[in-house]
């Protein structure tokens, strides 16, 4: 079925619905144990503060949509007996895009990597870019390809502005969204004896699916 979401019409399975995402987060990645405030107010704030500190790395995570099981599907999944070793079940996922940005001052050439859930060489490599007052190393997970030319030679505000424009462009490109994290809730845990005789949830048949189909991924 087609479901309107922002300015898009997304084709989604009948068992799930698309909801608004959590807030954008800009978080410092640091090995310092005394770093008590790793969250920045914005990308601009992160770039400015890290340059003033002599460098650092931050993660720019942009959730775009929350995909959750619909109420009737969620009830069947959570009530179905599960393994004792699996006390929770997946009820939804958050999809979006992520940038990992390392800011370096001086002639450093160290690269960084951001693991991707897809074997895309454009997402698995890091790009080094010379800006006005620093060098940045950017790796992306999802989203349209980042253009290094638009960041080359830019000042602090220009760097932040271009990264925010990239995030806005990603909102209208659902084929570039990636899994950011899952949402889980307590499951119905039963012993092996009941699991052996419990039949498959009938909701799959009612929604035109078969056992083995991928309903939520």
């Amino acid at each position: 079925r087609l479901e309107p979401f922002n300015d898009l019409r997304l084709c989604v399975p009948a068992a799930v619905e698309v909801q608004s995402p959590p807030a954008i987060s800009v978080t410092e990645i640091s090995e310092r144990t005394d770093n008590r405030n790793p969250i920045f107010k914005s990308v601009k704030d992160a770039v400015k503060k890290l340059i003033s500190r002599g460098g650092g790395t931050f993660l720019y995570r942009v959730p775009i949509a929350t995909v959750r099981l619909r109420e009737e599907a969620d009830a069947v999944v959570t009530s179905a007996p599960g393994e004792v070793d699996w006390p929770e079940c997946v009820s939804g996922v958050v999809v979006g895009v992520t940038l990992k940005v390392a800011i370096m001052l001086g002639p450093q050439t160290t690269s960084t990597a951001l693991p991707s859930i897809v074997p895309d060489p454009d997402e698995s490599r890091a790009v080094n870019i010379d800006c006005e007052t620093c060098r940045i190393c950017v790796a992306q997970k999802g989203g349209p390809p980042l253009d290094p030319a638009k960041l080359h030679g830019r000042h602090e505000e220009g760097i932040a502005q271009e990264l925010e424009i990239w995030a806005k462009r990603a909102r209208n490109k659902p084929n570039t969204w990636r899994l950011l994290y899952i949402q889980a809730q307590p499951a119905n845990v039963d012993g092996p004896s009941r699991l052996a005789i419990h039949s498959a949830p009938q909701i799959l048949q009612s929604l035109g699916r078969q056992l083995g189909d991928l309903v939520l991924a």
Side-chain angles (χ1 to χ4, degrees):
R1 64 187 176 85
L2 292 176
E3 181 166 331
F5 182 73
N6 295 336
D7 296 328
L8 303 172
R9 288 176 62 83
L10 302 177
C11 183
V12 299
V16 303
E17 59 184 354
V18 184
Q19 302 175 350
S20 299
I24 292 174
S25 64
V26 185
T27 310
E28 182 177 6
I29 301 174
S30 175
E31 296 180 356
R32 291 167 45 192
T33 57
D34 61 342
N35 188 18
R36 298 181 180 179
N37 188 24
I39 300 175
F40 298 106
K41 296 178 181 179
S42 63
V43 178
K44 180 180 177 180
D45 183 47
V47 174
K48 182 178 180 180
K49 287 184 177 179
L50 291 181
I51 288 179
S52 67
R53 294 180 194 171
T57 303
F58 69 89
L59 197 65
Y60 181 30
R61 181 174 289 154
V62 185
I64 297 177
T66 300
V67 184
R68 293 188 60 86
L69 289 170
R70 297 175 69 86
E71 184 176 355
E72 60 273 19
D74 185 75
V76 171
V77 170
T78 55
S79 63
E83 295 281 358
V84 176
D85 294 338
W86 297 89
E88 294 188 334
C89 61
V90 176
S91 59
V93 298
V94 175
V95 294
V97 297
T98 303
L99 287 178
K100 184 178 182 181
V101 183
I103 296 178
M104 300 163 285
L105 275 66
Q108 298 181 1
T109 57
T110 304
S111 62
T112 185
L114 181 66
S116 174
I117 62 170
V118 293
D120 188 339
D122 289 334
E123 292 185 15
S124 62
R125 66 188 178 90
V127 180
N128 289 283
I129 307 166
D130 290 319
C131 300
E132 184 179 72
T133 58
C134 65
R135 174 188 293 266
I136 64 173
C137 182
V138 185
Q140 69 179 83
K141 179 179 180 179
L146 193 66
D147 187 358
K150 293 183 178 180
L151 289 163
H152 181 76
R154 300 294 294 272
H155 50 72
E156 295 177 12
E157 292 187 3
I159 295 171
Q161 182 180 36
E162 188 57 40
L163 297 183
E164 289 173 345
I165 291 174
W166 172 86
K168 290 179 180 179
R169 289 177 53 212
R171 294 180 183 277
N172 294 323
K173 298 182 181 297
N175 60 309
T176 68
W177 300 349
R178 301 290 181 261
L179 174 68
L180 299 186
Y181 50 87
I182 66 171
Q183 295 179 333
Q185 60 182 358
N188 180 23
V189 178
D190 271 318
S193 59
R194 185 176 171 188
L195 285 173
I197 62 174
H198 184 74
S199 60
Q202 297 300 314
I203 193 170
L204 293 176
Q205 287 81 0
S206 68
L207 294 173
R209 314 291 298 202
Q210 301 182 51
L211 189 62
D213 282 357
L214 187 60
V215 176
L216 177 61

